[in-house]
Amino acid sequence: MSLAAYCIICCRRIGASTPPPQSTTYWRDIRNIIKFTGSLILGGSLFLTYEVLALKKSLTLDTQVVEREKMKSYIYLHTVSLDKRENYGITYQARKELHKAVRKVLATSAKILRGPFADTFSTIDVEDHECAVWLLLRKSQSGDRTARLQAVQEMSETHHWHDYQYRIIAQACDLRTLIGLARSKESDLRFFLPPPPLPSLNEDTCIEEELRQLLASLPQTELDECIQYFTSLALSESSQSLAAQKGGLWCFGGNGLPYAESFGEVPSATVEMFCLEALVKHSEIPTHCDEIEANGGLQLLQRLYQLHKDCPKIQRNIMRIIGNMALNEHLHSTIVHSGWVSILAEAMKSPRIMEASHAARTLANLDRETMREKYQDGVYVLHPQYRTSQPIKADVLFIHGLMGAAFKTWRQQDNEQLLTEKILEDDARYTTCWPKTWLARDCPALRIISVEYDTSLSDWRTRCPMERKSIAFRSDELLRKLRAAGVGDRPVIWVSHSMGGLLVKKMLLEASKKPEMSTVINNTRGIIFYSVPHHGSHLAEYSVNIRYLLFPSLEVKELSKDSPALKTLQDDFLEFAKDKNFQVLNFVETLPTYIGSMIKLHVVPVESADLGIGDLIPVDVDHLNICKPKKKDAFLYQRTLQFICETLAKDLED
């Protein structure tokens, strides 16, 4: 106390005395410096405190995500390699330092931008090398669509993470992100959790009985005749098959089940095919899709898919059903949660074009983030099947003909040497679908679509006896499906084989009469016809072969040279095409074709393949191979490619 009093007295004495002028100036400067420094320190402290809090807010994570993680029955293990050099060597240290550098960059950007995220964050302890994972996860759930797409792309291009880091994304990401990863070409399959365990079957039932019960649970009234036919056939045959199995005998009777066609087939698999074909038809009806989902159809179909890995036909029909159900957006969450996305993502990477294309259609229908179009049953995108940054500037549509298909019609011409070697060769040597393999590489800015529909030569061979679909009926059905897929929004080139060319002509004529289809006409640039019978075919006249043509189908009858409908179609379209100035290229076969074992005929003669406009090019092949080039540098493909590039030249440049 005395010391303090002494100091005060001294200060007063100093203050009372008259200091020299220089001393007064000196103390005034000190006071100013103290005031300035104090303000600077105080302000800087407040600023640093604010920035630290802002940075902490930016770089921490929402605890709700973590709490949801805790509720799930997964344990994340930090996998450690047995190679010590990887754990403690240069690679490990470099990766660790890289993660730290990334975090510092993110921290700096957060400091500058004062909060890169809009939502409120809370605190959680995250290791330096895991920060990027969680930031990408958060970014994928942003309200900004561009940010979400960028996050999914960055995830798919990441290949250096540990297994548990992929599993973190797989478990914590939302539906949009999961589907986006499945549709990203470079995505690692570890992003997708395996499907949840399937419910066990009852001891006294089998999967065939479960299928039958599912089919029987669907509405059976007010159905199309063919749906009724497939349903009744499947139910009756499955009942007889089950009765035969329980009795220890195989039953070959019933309503026409063709067991006798191949004694090597297992009847149960054949019955499953009948049930699946019926379910495909039912899945085209939205309300029936709801019933399939409510009755456990997604899990049952998944079990059947896993059981028949060696039967592509069964798997394709299952994919068709899931693809049809995916057309209904309210079912997307259920489809994803049932584990189908992981199956589809794996199928997308299959080297088999048909399997990959069916999976691509289903995922495209699930992806509402980047897709507006919906692909109905029978409409398949061959390119691009993944999300792409490549702008799509035009569409090329492939329409097969009588007894054709969306894939096999457009395969490379068969060659005995290639057939024995193609398993070991890449697509440059042999392709099962040249539009997907060759055309997609030569013209990546095109969307390539192939269409499939049922046809038959004879009513004996038709899949549905009640089905009598004329060219007019089919064209209306296909036009509706193609418009739903966005055909008409871009410039279009149509590529058709045989009867498919007649469908194209009829579709364009019908579209010209409907205002809502005007874009299809306005954007049609050209048409390629592969041996299209504009003036009829000899095929309908050869009905002597009992195996195929005792009762020619309606499609075959409409190809008759004296068909009034065919003549009217030709006259109307020729005038219409000239008025619209469509570019046209015609190919025609010059060799006869074997139909069965008894008939050899020139299906489409040169005079019938002449539309009346455009080039007409004869090719030394038969009717089946007119659309199947021998190789990529063959004239048939190169001339087709030239036509497409020249016709779309202006559109592809824009």
Side-chain angles (χ1 to χ4, degrees):
M1 292 293 291
S2 59
L3 179 63
Y6 177 77
C7 291
I8 293 173
I9 292 171
C10 291
C11 289
R12 286 180 176 178
R13 287 178 178 176
I14 295 171
S17 62
T18 304
Q22 293 181 352
S23 178
T24 303
T25 305
Y26 174 76
W27 283 107
R28 185 182 299 113
D29 293 336
I30 291 177
R31 284 197 298 271
N32 291 337
I33 292 172
I34 292 173
K35 288 180 182 179
F36 176 78
T37 305
S39 301
L40 182 63
I41 293 174
L42 180 61
S45 300
L46 292 174
F47 177 79
L48 289 175
T49 303
Y50 173 80
E51 289 299 322
V52 169
L53 292 175
L55 180 60
K56 183 179 179 181
K57 179 180 178 181
S58 301
L59 294 180
T60 52
L61 300 169
D62 191 351
T63 53
Q64 293 181 358
V65 175
V66 181
E67 291 301 322
R68 288 199 297 269
E69 296 293 300
K70 293 179 181 178
M71 299 298 293
K72 297 184 180 181
S73 58
Y74 292 91
I75 300 175
Y76 297 118
L77 299 176
H78 290 251
T79 57
V80 179
S81 174
L82 296 178
D83 187 354
K84 294 184 178 181
R85 291 174 299 176
E86 182 178 346
N87 291 331
Y88 305 106
I90 297 177
T91 303
Y92 176 79
Q93 294 297 332
R95 181 176 295 173
K96 188 173 181 180
E97 292 301 322
L98 179 62
H99 285 308
K100 287 183 178 179
V102 170
R103 188 175 184 181
K104 288 180 180 178
V105 171
L106 293 172
T108 303
S109 64
K111 187 174 181 179
I112 295 173
L113 299 176
R114 301 287 183 87
F117 300 101
D119 297 337
T120 302
F121 279 71
S122 55
T123 304
I124 186 172
D125 185 20
V126 179
E127 295 184 19
D128 289 348
H129 66 281
E130 292 184 10
C131 185
V133 176
W134 289 99
L135 285 175
L136 278 177
L137 181 63
R138 185 62 185 174
K139 189 176 179 181
S140 70
Q141 299 173 4
S142 167
D144 182 8
R145 177 177 176 273
T146 303
R148 293 196 303 268
L149 295 178
Q150 184 181 0
V152 171
Q153 182 179 353
E154 291 176 10
M155 287 180 187
S156 67
E157 294 173 351
T158 302
H159 303 290
H160 64 273
W161 284 346
H162 293 289
D163 183 71
Y164 77 92
Q165 291 173 302
Y166 289 102
R167 296 303 180 184
I168 288 175
I169 298 292
Q171 189 170 324
C173 70
D174 59 10
L175 180 147
R176 272 186 316 214
T177 304
L178 189 66
I179 294 172
L181 288 170
R183 294 198 69 237
S184 299
K185 189 172 184 177
E186 302 299 326
S187 287
D188 195 298
L189 290 178
R190 288 175 291 178
F191 278 122
F192 311 101
L193 294 174
L198 296 172
S200 57
L201 290 173
N202 297 328
E203 294 182 358
D204 56 342
T205 61
C206 61
I207 194 167
E208 193 177 326
E209 174 64 18
E210 294 279 347
L211 264 179
R212 183 183 183 279
Q213 292 177 2
L214 175 62
L215 193 56
S217 69
L218 301 178
Q220 306 296 324
T221 57
E222 300 181 0
L223 298 178
D224 176 83
E225 289 183 341
C226 281
I227 299 180
Q228 292 180 354
Y229 167 77
F230 280 115
T231 303
S232 62
L233 181 60
L235 292 176
S236 63
E237 294 299 343
S238 60
S239 298
Q240 294 185 34
S241 176
L242 288 170
Q245 292 180 48
K246 291 178 181 179
L249 297 172
W250 294 114
C251 176
F252 289 94
N255 189 18
L257 186 63
Y259 293 155
E261 288 189 359
S262 174
F263 287 97
E265 286 186 297
V266 179
S268 61
T270 309
V271 172
E272 288 168 359
M273 278 300 303
F274 270 75
C275 290
L276 290 174
E277 288 178 351
L279 286 172
V280 168
K281 296 294 183 181
H282 279 279
S283 65
E284 295 176 358
I285 305 174
T287 55
H288 290 206
C289 290
D290 296 338
E291 294 292 331
I292 293 173
E293 184 274 325
N295 293 315
L298 290 171
Q299 291 77 16
L300 179 59
L301 292 172
Q302 191 177 123
R303 185 191 303 276
L304 193 61
Y305 185 91
Q306 301 292 357
L307 286 175
H308 290 282
K309 291 184 177 180
D310 58 341
C311 186
K313 190 173 182 181
I314 285 182
Q315 290 192 328
R316 287 196 298 269
N317 274 336
I318 294 174
M319 287 283 192
R320 289 176 65 189
I321 297 170
I322 303 301
N324 290 344
M325 295 179 69
L327 292 168
N328 305 283
E329 295 187 29
H330 66 281
L331 295 178
H332 287 187
S333 177
T334 308
I335 294 173
V336 172
H337 292 151
S338 63
W340 270 104
V341 174
S342 63
I343 297 174
L344 295 169
E346 184 177 1
M348 279 278 283
K349 298 182 182 296
S350 170
R352 295 193 294 267
I353 290 178
M354 293 178 68
E355 180 181 353
S357 298
H358 278 80
R361 170 187 169 245
T362 304
L363 285 171
N365 286 337
L366 288 172
D367 186 7
R368 296 298 93 193
E369 179 86 326
T370 61
M371 303 293 295
R372 292 178 303 158
E373 305 86 357
K374 291 188 176 183
Y375 299 99
Q376 300 186 26
D377 190 33
V379 180
Y380 301 99
V381 178
L382 303 181
H383 175 80
Q385 293 186 337
Y386 292 99
R387 285 186 178 181
T388 177
S389 58
Q390 168 74 51
I392 303 301
K393 299 181 178 180
D395 291 337
V396 178
L397 311 180
F398 287 81
I399 317 294
H400 68 77
L402 199 62
M403 298 297 291
F407 305 98
K408 71 176 185 179
T409 293
W410 312 106
R411 69 182 184 275
Q412 186 175 347
Q413 186 173 329
D414 297 333
N415 179 287
E416 291 185 4
Q417 181 180 358
L418 285 175
L419 287 175
T420 58
E421 298 179 0
K422 67 182 178 182
I423 298 178
L424 303 177
E425 300 290 340
D426 58 15
D427 288 340
R429 179 72 181 274
Y430 184 88
T431 175
T432 55
C433 185
W434 61 262
K436 182 182 187 305
T437 307
W438 298 345
L439 185 59
R441 289 178 182 174
D442 291 333
C443 300
L446 299 178
R447 180 178 66 157
I448 304 172
I449 293 178
S450 188
V451 173
E452 184 161 303
Y453 56 95
D454 294 327
T455 63
S456 60
L457 288 176
S458 168
D459 282 344
W460 282 116
R461 306 292 294 179
T462 186
R463 297 177 66 250
C464 174
M466 279 75 73
E467 190 172 50
R468 297 290 188 272
K469 292 186 177 179
S470 63
I471 291 176
F473 181 91
R474 291 189 187 279
S475 65
D476 183 70
E477 183 180 48
L478 288 180
L479 184 61
R480 175 178 51 82
K481 289 183 176 182
L482 291 173
R483 190 68 194 100
V487 172
D489 295 339
R490 306 181 186 92
V492 182
I493 285 185
W494 305 77
V495 182
S496 60
H497 174 236
S498 190
M499 192 186 79
L502 303 181
L503 286 174
V504 171
K505 292 161 63 176
K506 188 65 176 177
M507 278 191 283
L508 292 175
L509 286 174
E510 291 301 315
S512 67
K513 302 174 183 177
K514 301 176 180 179
E516 66 274 17
M517 297 290 180
S518 60
T519 56
V520 176
I521 302 300
N522 296 335
N523 278 320
T524 293
R525 299 289 189 265
I527 312 169
I528 298 176
F529 295 110
Y530 288 107
S531 285
V532 174
H534 301 292
H535 304 282
S537 171
H538 296 301
L539 188 63
E541 302 171 10
Y542 285 82
S543 57
V544 295
N545 190 331
I546 296 177
R547 182 179 178 184
Y548 288 101
L549 299 176
L550 182 60
F551 293 103
S553 63
L554 180 58
E555 297 103 317
V556 173
K557 292 177 182 177
E558 287 187 321
L559 299 181
S560 176
K561 286 190 173 183
D562 56 358
S563 169
L566 192 63
K567 187 178 186 309
T568 301
L569 176 62
Q570 166 62 16
D571 294 341
D572 292 347
F573 183 78
L574 182 59
E575 181 181 356
F576 175 70
K578 289 180 178 178
D579 179 64
K580 295 297 181 180
N581 195 29
F582 293 152
Q583 300 300 304
V584 175
L585 177 63
N586 303 280
F587 292 100
V588 60
E589 76 235 32
T590 60
L591 301 180
T593 304
Y594 284 94
I595 300 179
S597 58
M598 298 176 60
I599 297 179
K600 177 182 178 182
L601 77 155
H602 205 157
V603 178
V604 180
V606 175
E607 60 274 12
S608 182
D610 187 2
L611 177 64
I613 55 175
D615 294 338
L616 177 63
I617 303 176
V619 184
D620 292 334
V621 292
D622 60 20
H623 187 69
L624 298 178
N625 288 319
I626 188 65
C627 55
K628 300 177 179 63
K630 286 186 177 181
K631 49 188 178 179
K632 188 175 181 180
D633 59 357
F635 169 78
L636 195 59
Y637 173 72
Q638 290 299 322
R639 185 66 182 90
T640 299
L641 178 62
Q642 179 187 357
F643 177 85
I644 292 173
C645 292
E646 290 178 352
T647 305
L648 295 174
K650 293 182 179 179
D651 300 300
L652 296 178
E653 288 177 359
D654 294 340

